[in-house]
Structures are given as C-alpha cells and as structure tokens.
Amino acid sequence: MNDQHIRALHFRSLHVPGEPLVLVNAWDAASARIVAAAGARAVATTSAGVAWSLGAPDGDALGRGPAVDLVRRVVAAVPLPVTADIESGYGDTVDEVAATVRAVVAAGAVGVNVEDARHDGGAPLREVADQCARLAAVRGAADHAGVPLYVNARIDTFLRGAGGVEETLARAHAYLAAGADGVFVPGTVDPETVAALVAAIPAPLNVLVGPGAPAVPELARLGVARISLGSSVAEAAYAVARRAAEEAFGAGTYDALAGAFDYGALNDLMRG
C-alpha cells in the first residue's frame, strides 16, 4: 500500500457526520501551506480561486492541463490529503472526464469534486443520466488506477435555482448509485433544509459556508460531515489587493496592508 493509497483511506475516514471535516479551500501552493500550518486535516482546492490565479474565469474555462498542474503543486506543497475541485470534469465526453481523473490521481490527489452545473448557456444543470455517466467514468478511472478516490458529487440545485429538496434528493440518490461517495450541496445553509438533506441522504453531506452561515458547531449538530469555505478565501484575498490598489492610487496611503502576513514567517513557511 503506497503513501497515496494510505492518504486516500485517511481522507475517507475524516468524513464523519456530526464531526465535520472543515476545508479552507486553497488555490496555490502558498495558500495550501498556510492552511496546513493553521491545523488543517486535509487541503481542498477551489476551482474558482485556481482559475482566477491563472487568469481564467471559473466555469469550465481553465482546461485540464493547467488545473492538473496546480493540483500537482499543491500535493507537493503539503503532507496532507489533497482533494481537487475539477468543476464538471474538464471534458465534454465521459472519456475526457476519465482522462482528467487519471491525470488528477497521477498528480497525487485523493479526492475530487464533480459538479452537475452546466456553463454552456443551456439548461442550468446536466440531465441526471448524463451526470451519472460522468460520475461512473470518474469512479471507473479511479478504480482502474488503484486509488480509493473520494468522489464528492456536487449538486447545484440550490446554487443555480434549479430545484429544492426533492430534486436535490433525487439527484443525490442517483449520483451515489453511479459511484459517488459523498454529496455536496452548495447554496443553502438553512438549518431546516440542511437537517432534511442529512436525514435523507445515505452518505456524508458537504455544505458551503461563508459570512452569515451557521458556525461549525451548529452544522455539526445538524449532522453535516464536511464544511467547505469554497472560493470565499480567495475572494477575500483579492479584495485586499483591490483595496490596497485603490488606496495607493487614490489617497496615496497604505492602510489596507495592515495586518499582512509577516514576510519572514511566510518565507520560512515556503521553505517547508
């Protein structure tokens, strides 16, 4: 059993309802090391943050090559399990999705998020049968590689305004049958809704949080198994850059830079 296989099994064991795995999503090697040093049990990437850092918009615009290269750098930067947000798989066909998964596994990842949103201007979500075929391809590619990859099926019903609890549950059960290990439902943190999803989904539930969302202990009491900060950390970091630029070009002052990460400490962290 190699190190990646061991990390994959460990990552699976971290998904415990009521004792949630908290993921502060990273978008490059530096943010991954910062998160790891703060006490993370695993590191997750954010597709939006990754895309923005590489000069592309989020929403299947980046492409497999740059995305996989970033995963490889994050895996090399931290001694923790790494799960990769691969959007909808960086491919139009199931074979292309499988190729993405093989590349991500080869880069060292032990988990993936695969979303059912569409970004081509058509329907907001993929048809269930189409998404099930893609998830089956993900599962098959991972199994063929011999890594117990944790497949987190993201359901964008709430995020895209394409359905409520009933539609979400129908998709969740179909995706689990197709090979997913967990279910990620961004777009709602309403306690009643979250409790209903936890009760009806026979797999670990992942929710997306940000300012105003229930705190980790409250989500734990609801039975959530995984909590993701998603792109919000990258958004906050880029907001500092914007404030600093506007202040320097406007008032000519630098107050936005107060509280910055100490240069020496950050440099030492990058030395590993």
Side-chain angles (χ1 to χ4, degrees):
M1 193 180 298
N2 62 29
D3 289 346
Q4 185 179 13
H5 197 281
I6 293 170
R7 287 196 303 272
L9 292 176
H10 176 58
F11 184 64
R12 284 176 168 273
S13 74
L14 297 176
H15 293 76
V16 180
E19 299 177 15
L21 170 64
V22 179
L23 297 170
V24 179
N25 300 69
W27 62 95
D28 60 9
S31 58
R33 282 198 174 169
I34 290 168
V35 169
R41 294 188 289 166
V43 170
T45 64
T46 159
S47 66
V50 168
W52 297 333
S53 74
L54 297 175
D58 191 28
D60 288 332
L62 182 60
R64 180 189 303 136
V68 172
D69 286 345
L70 187 282
V71 171
R72 186 176 294 108
R73 288 195 292 273
V74 169
V75 169
V78 296
L80 300 172
V82 173
T83 182
D85 182 347
I86 60 171
E87 303 190 48
S88 63
Y90 301 117
D92 294 329
T93 68
V94 293
D95 288 341
E96 290 172 338
V97 173
T100 295
V101 172
R102 288 193 295 270
V104 167
V105 169
V110 298
V112 291
N113 277 13
V114 187
E115 66 187 51
D116 62 1
R118 300 184 68 96
H119 301 282
D120 56 7
L125 303 183
R126 292 183 183 277
E127 294 294 331
V128 172
D130 179 20
Q131 186 66 3
C132 284
R134 296 168 78 85
L135 288 168
V138 172
R139 179 84 277 150
D143 290 349
H144 187 264
V147 175
L149 190 76
Y150 188 94
V151 180
N152 204 30
R154 178 173 138 177
I155 301 174
D156 277 9
T157 42
F158 287 96
L159 200 62
R160 301 292 291 271
V165 171
E166 184 175 348
E167 176 66 17
T168 302
L169 292 177
R171 286 177 176 265
H173 285 89
Y175 297 169
L176 291 170
D181 298 292
V183 172
F184 181 21
V185 183
T188 182
V189 288
D190 169 67
E192 185 176 342
T193 301
V194 170
L197 294 173
V198 166
I201 295 174
L205 178 69
N206 182 186
V207 298
L208 180 68
V209 298
V216 170
E218 183 177 349
L219 292 170
R221 286 193 293 271
L222 294 172
V224 171
R226 176 166 162 174
I227 297 170
S228 300
L229 272 65
S231 64
S232 60
V233 182
E235 291 172 46
Y238 290 131
V240 172
R242 183 177 67 180
R243 288 195 297 271
E246 290 175 345
E247 182 183 355
F249 300 146
T253 53
Y254 325 104
D255 293 340
L257 300 177
F261 207 123
D262 178 73
Y263 173 90
L266 187 54
N267 218 33
D268 286 345
L269 190 58
M270 294 309 108
R271 291 191 180 100

